[in-house]
């Protein structure tokens, strides 16, 4: 239960701090382009950190990495209070992204080696996102949210002090080896393609909802549907075959974004939120479990998955803004549909050679 509490608190901290960053950046004088750069700095730092510390968690003990990641995140989130310019905010957000990337792979693999439910563990992350959205809406003041998010990370650190060291296989893997990436390219590339489309949607969805007539209250309520449903869905997925979960994760994502494309007003976005909650729950849990089952470097493959998600967030945000600028809202939704179709196609085509090689090695 301690790991689920840590996951919930850390996810709540991240979301309550993250939701108003664009508005805070604009208040410091950032242009729209600079807001994008600040987002990219966070994503790039998270990408690098997730890769490095995923590998580190396979080579070293898990508990110290979790503790270090949570402790430095406590201080990094508090530093956001002192951002006074676009440049300082970009630097601090990069530091936040790097610190946040230290512990997730180690914590996920800790659950795996304890024979816990990856789906249930992941669901507490989604519950934390929903709590973060709601707390941010009630508090409003971004500097108070920075302080509160730092406090939540500190509570996570205190909870993690009670974690016990666990025994796991000792691996002597090279920090610079890309074998785990190459062996699982079907999973990584397919998730990247799908999530790039999703990130393009999330980057402009509040604007699209307003365009369809939604008030700020409705926007907040519609956003809360997705993480709440993910919390209910993810905890029940352990018994399903991972390849099946991934396939239907892509398909349901495509149905969701097609629903967004067809919506005549904001109320019709709600059914799409149900489908996207199922889609991401299936895809994330399926991909996480599949990667760990297929590889001895379990923290490494988990860290790379987090890096892939971070990279797709960067590319998707830029692509979403560019598509909206050049074409329009519905065309951005159509792009996400194509990315979901592309994701399932990439997985089906590239995963066959892996299956053949795996069976030959047995």
């Amino acid at each position: 239960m301690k790991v689920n509490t840590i996951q919930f608190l850390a996810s709540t901290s991240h979301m309550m701090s993250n939701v108003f960053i664009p508005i805070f950046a604009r208040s410091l004088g950032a242009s729209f382009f600079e807001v994008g750069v600040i987002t990219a700095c966070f994503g790039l730092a998270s990408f690098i950190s997730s890769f490095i510390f995923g590998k580190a968690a396979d080579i070293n003990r898990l508990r110290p990495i979790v503790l270090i990641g949570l402790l430095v995140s406590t201080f990094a989130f508090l530093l956001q209070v002192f951002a006074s310019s676009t440049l300082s905010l970009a630097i601090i957000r990069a530091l936040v992204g790097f610190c946040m990337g230290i512990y997730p792979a180690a914590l996920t693999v800790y659950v795996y080696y304890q024979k816990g439910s990856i789906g249930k563990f992941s669901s507490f992350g989604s519950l934390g996102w929903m709590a973060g959205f709601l707390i941010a809406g009630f508090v409003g003041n971004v500097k108070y949210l920075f302080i509160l998010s730092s406090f939540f990370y500190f509570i996570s650190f205190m909870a993690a002090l009670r974690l016990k060291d666990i025994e796991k296989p000792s691996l002597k893997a090279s920090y610079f080896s890309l074998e785990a990436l190459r062996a699982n390219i079907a999973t990584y590339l397919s998730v990247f393609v799908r999530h790039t489309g999703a990130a393009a949607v999330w980057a402009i969805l509040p604007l699209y909802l307003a365009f369809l007539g939604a008030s700020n209250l409705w926007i907040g309520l519609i956003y809360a549907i997705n993480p709440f449903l993910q919390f209910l869905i993810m905890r029940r997925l352990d018994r399903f075959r991972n390849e099946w979960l991934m396939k239907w994760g892509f398909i349901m994502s495509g149905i969701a974004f097609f629903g967004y494309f067809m919506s005549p007003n904001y109320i019709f976005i709600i059914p799409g939120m149900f489908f996207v909650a199922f889609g991401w729950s299936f895809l994330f849990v399926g991909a996480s479990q599949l990667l760990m089952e297929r590889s001895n470097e379990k923290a490494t493959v988990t860290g790379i998955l987090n890096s892939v998600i971070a990279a797709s967030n960067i590319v998707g945000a830029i692509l979403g803004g560019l598509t909206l600028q050049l074409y329009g809202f519905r065309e951005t939704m159509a792009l996400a549909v194509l990315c979901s179709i592309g994701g399932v196609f990439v997985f089906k085509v590239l995963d066959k050679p892996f299956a053949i090689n795996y069976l030959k090695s047995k």
Side-chain angles (χ1 to χ4, degrees):
M1 187 62 185
K2 289 189 286 289
V3 289
N4 293 335
T5 301
I6 294 166
Q7 171 82 326
F8 170 75
L9 291 171
S11 299
T12 302
S13 300
H14 166 54
M15 199 52 68
M16 78 168 78
S17 177
N18 187 62
V19 67
F20 290 131
I21 287 295
I23 296 172
F24 182 54
R26 289 287 288 167
S27 74
L28 296 178
S31 66
F32 288 120
F33 174 73
E34 288 171 332
V35 170
V37 170
I38 291 168
T39 302
C41 287
F42 173 87
L44 180 60
S46 177
F47 172 87
I48 294 169
S49 180
S50 295
F51 186 88
I52 293 172
F53 288 98
K55 182 75 71 173
D58 273 325
I59 298 172
N60 303 288
R61 289 158 51 213
L62 298 175
R63 183 175 179 271
I65 294 175
V66 171
L67 289 174
I68 290 169
L70 294 172
L71 184 60
V72 296
S73 293
T74 299
F75 292 108
F77 271 75
L78 186 60
L79 281 177
Q80 293 176 116
V81 173
F82 303 103
S84 57
S85 66
T86 300
L87 178 60
S88 63
L89 180 60
I91 293 171
I92 293 171
R93 285 297 290 172
L95 179 62
V96 167
F98 188 86
C99 292
M100 274 189 58
I102 294 173
Y103 68 86
L107 192 62
T108 303
V109 174
Y110 187 96
V111 175
Y112 181 87
Y113 282 122
Q114 291 286 82
K115 302 194 182 306
S117 167
I118 297 298
K120 186 175 180 181
F121 169 74
S122 300
S123 75
F124 278 90
S126 297
L127 188 66
W129 296 347
M130 186 187 73
F133 281 133
L134 295 176
I135 292 171
F138 279 112
V139 174
N141 186 299
V142 68
K143 295 209 170 185
Y144 290 163
L145 289 170
F146 291 155
I147 295 170
L148 196 56
S149 62
S150 174
F151 178 66
F152 270 46
Y153 258 110
F154 181 70
I155 297 175
S156 300
F157 170 74
M158 296 300 292
L161 287 173
R162 299 175 61 192
L163 294 177
K164 297 178 181 178
D165 262 323
I166 60 172
E167 290 194 15
K168 67 178 183 67
S170 181
L171 299 176
K172 297 187 181 220
S174 168
Y175 275 96
F176 304 102
S177 172
L178 297 177
E179 183 57 36
L181 174 62
R182 285 194 295 267
N184 297 285
I185 192 64
T187 301
Y188 293 132
L189 187 56
S190 60
V191 170
F192 176 82
V193 172
R194 179 271 179 196
H195 200 62
T196 294
V201 170
W202 306 139
I204 60 95
L205 187 59
L207 298 174
Y208 185 48
L209 287 168
F211 170 75
L212 293 175
S215 65
N216 287 342
L217 175 61
W218 269 107
I219 291 173
L221 291 173
I222 289 171
Y223 255 84
I225 292 171
N226 183 20
F228 175 69
L229 288 174
Q230 286 181 27
F231 171 71
L232 298 178
I233 297 163
M234 285 181 172
R235 55 205 293 115
R236 293 172 170 81
L237 299 181
D238 293 332
R239 66 180 181 272
F240 294 99
R241 196 165 62 91
N242 296 316
E243 292 86 349
W244 184 91
L245 286 173
M246 288 191 64
K247 180 182 76 171
W248 280 99
F250 292 122
I251 293 170
M252 288 186 147
S253 296
I255 293 171
F257 298 135
F258 183 73
Y260 295 174
F261 172 80
M262 296 293 293
S263 295
N265 63 59
Y266 64 91
I267 294 296
F268 286 83
I269 295 290
I270 294 175
M273 280 293 181
F274 279 77
F275 276 103
V276 85
F278 274 95
W280 182 242
S281 297
F282 282 20
L283 185 59
F284 183 73
V285 173
S288 298
Q289 294 184 151
L290 184 67
L291 289 166
M292 285 191 283
E293 287 176 1
R294 286 182 171 182
S295 179
N296 291 326
E297 298 179 72
K298 300 187 187 304
T300 297
V301 294
T302 302
I304 295 174
L305 179 62
N306 293 333
S307 292
V308 166
I309 293 170
S312 60
N313 282 333
I314 299 169
V315 176
I318 294 171
L319 198 57
L322 188 61
T323 305
L324 175 60
Q325 183 74 34
L326 296 177
Y327 300 105
F329 286 113
R330 297 192 189 278
E331 288 77 4
T332 308
M333 305 301 141
L335 171 67
V337 175
L338 292 176
C339 286
S340 296
I341 295 171
V344 71
F345 178 77
V346 168
F347 183 71
K348 293 294 285 183
V349 170
L350 294 185
D351 200 51
K352 286 182 181 178
F354 179 95
I356 293 169
N357 293 333
Y358 179 79
L359 290 171
K360 282 181 179 178
S361 68
K362 289 297 182 180

